[in-house]
Amino acid sequence: MQPGCQILSGALQHSLPCPRSSPRSAAPQISPVAFSGKPRYTLIRPSRGPRENLQGHRQLATTVRAAAATEGKLQSPHGGKLVDLLVSKSEAQREIDSCTKQQELSDRNACDVELLCVGAFSPLQGFMDEETYNAVVEDMRLPGGVLWGLPVVLDTASEDIEPGDKVLLTYQGKDLATIQVDSKWTPNKPLEALKCYRTSSLEHPAVQMISMERGKYYIGGKVTGLALPERVFPCATPQQVRDTLPQGADVLAFQCRNPIHKAHYELFIRALEADNVGKDAVCLVHPTCGPTQDDDIPGIVRYRTYEVLKEEVKNPKLRWAYLPYSMHMAGPREAIQHMIIRKNYGCTHFIIGRDMAGSKSSVSGEDFYGPYDAQNFAAEHASELGMQTVPSLNITYTEEKGYVTADKADSEGLHQLKLSGTKFRQLLRAGEDIPEWFAFKSVVDVLRDASGDNGA
């Protein structure tokens, strides 16, 4: 789930940074946890609101600036060096010839291979071995102590693959990479789920994924990149993105997984004016276009909406790129993972709102995380990452003043206009007018075309 708001479109919510507004108190969250095949519910205390974050956040802004601002250079990669695992064609053929086994990658696996090969997962140079996996699951750190959010693992159902094998990794008929297997183990998936997603309930989509989609074993080892997946949309590498960024300027990252409507645009444009952001800052709009949730809009459609919006706004303060990342909906831990990835792409700041990468129970609809859990967790670890967060609050559209915070609208008695995701989709499919305050016409046209293609 993206940052929360008064107007909703599908799973996506909208927010903007506003340090002077006071948040509403959060109610306790009920989290289902499965034991012996049945869910039980545990009370999770609400996390602090963003005001507490912002106080420390402002102090951080005066004492810890990201590398770009202090050194007049681009942000340093996580771990100090940007990894590049891709080899030449001649080397690739020798790698292929030396393989003893072969495995076809899933869509999720292929995303991870690509991110490893291009350095988005720097400093990792392959899929995690058992020691690294256990360290990340238990302590959220690599064995050397470097902060890391979620395990990056390669699963297999093969009984034949063993340590010492070199395995050719293929995807949709293409040789993508090899892995020199140095570790194979049967993971404790309930523990992985509980530590990484704060629940072992199958009502969480990522718990379903690791329990029902992944194979029995995990294998780890050094990866050698042969080629990148062929995608219908381009995914710039970290180095390619870095080449477009201004030296010595703050670079904000905006993460999303759905089409961008006007509230989202307000969010990252206003984030450029936040107290802890320099005047020459730019924003990298960096949507994830890999596998997400079943009811999300397909990646190719999302890509087309971003491309037409880029042309419509033509804002020189924005950079656009697409990330082949598979969402886990892991809330706080995924916020750390996203910050690490965006740091490798050259970003110094991360825009984060309510319920970032949040998820609801597929049975009860209850949230697995408190509304500010991810925001607070990200702020806690930002200085260690050499990054800063730009917290955001709810916004709503008003007839009198356009987009303002929900608190401001309430306190001033402004007339708020709201459009639910369900109503938006109904209007879209019926060919009826979408309010101009809600969505960009170019984006609506793409969504409407896609809806017609699907016979909706």
Side-chain angles (χ1 to χ4, degrees), residues 74 140 187 275 405:
L74 291 178
M140 212 175 72
D275 291 345
T405 64

Side-chain angles (χ1 to χ4, degrees), residues 240-439:
Q240 289 169 338
V241 170
R242 284 169 168 270
D243 289 343
T244 72
L245 301 177
Q247 295 278 337
D250 289 336
V251 180
L252 283 66
F254 177 71
Q255 148 69 25
C256 62
R257 61 181 178 87
N258 273 314
I260 293 171
H261 296 310
K262 289 191 174 179
H264 305 96
Y265 189 76
E266 287 289 320
L267 162 61
F268 52 75
I269 292 303
R270 298 189 189 204
L272 287 165
E273 301 174 0
D275 291 345
N276 64 323
V277 176
K279 64 181 179 65
D280 296 323
V282 298
C283 178
L284 172 65
V285 185
H286 205 205
T288 53
C289 290
T292 52
Q293 297 190 103
D294 290 342
D295 59 349
D296 279 348
I297 293 169
I300 182 58
V301 177
R302 282 178 272 148
Y303 163 69
R304 289 170 182 156
T305 66
Y306 305 137
E307 286 295 292
V308 296
L309 180 58
K310 178 172 68 173
E311 289 305 308
E312 180 173 342
V313 298
K314 291 185 181 298
N315 190 328
K317 299 284 281 184
L318 302 180
R319 304 290 185 273
W320 300 75
Y322 307 107
L323 184 71
Y325 175 83
S326 174
M327 293 288 293
H328 290 248
M329 313 312 294
R333 279 222 186 187
E334 189 142 40
I336 300 301
Q337 197 85 333
H338 278 290
M339 290 175 73
I340 290 169
I341 292 170
R342 279 17 184 267
K343 179 182 180 182
N344 286 327
Y345 278 85
C347 297
T348 60
H349 294 63
F350 189 68
I351 303 170
I352 183 167
R354 296 176 77 252
D355 296 325
M356 193 265 169
S359 181
K360 294 179 182 292
S361 163
S362 60
V363 175
S364 68
E366 295 286 347
D367 291 310
F368 282 106
Y369 314 110
Y372 300 107
D373 283 359
Q375 193 177 86
N376 290 341
F377 201 63
E380 251 178 69
H381 293 89
S383 61
E384 182 178 354
L385 289 173
M387 294 187 72
Q388 297 185 44
T389 59
V390 181
S392 51
L393 298 179
N394 297 349
I395 66 169
T396 185
Y397 185 83
T398 66
E399 285 188 333
E400 297 88 348
K401 295 187 177 181
Y403 282 106
V404 298
T405 64
D407 290 339
K408 179 180 178 68
D410 291 341
S411 65
E412 296 184 11
L414 304 177
H415 183 240
Q416 302 175 46
L417 302 182
K418 301 180 182 180
L419 184 65
S420 70
T422 299
K423 182 62 175 176
F424 172 70
R425 287 189 293 273
Q426 288 174 348
L427 294 174
L428 195 66
R429 290 167 181 164
E432 298 180 26
D433 290 339
I434 305 294
E436 288 187 9
W437 59 265
F438 181 83

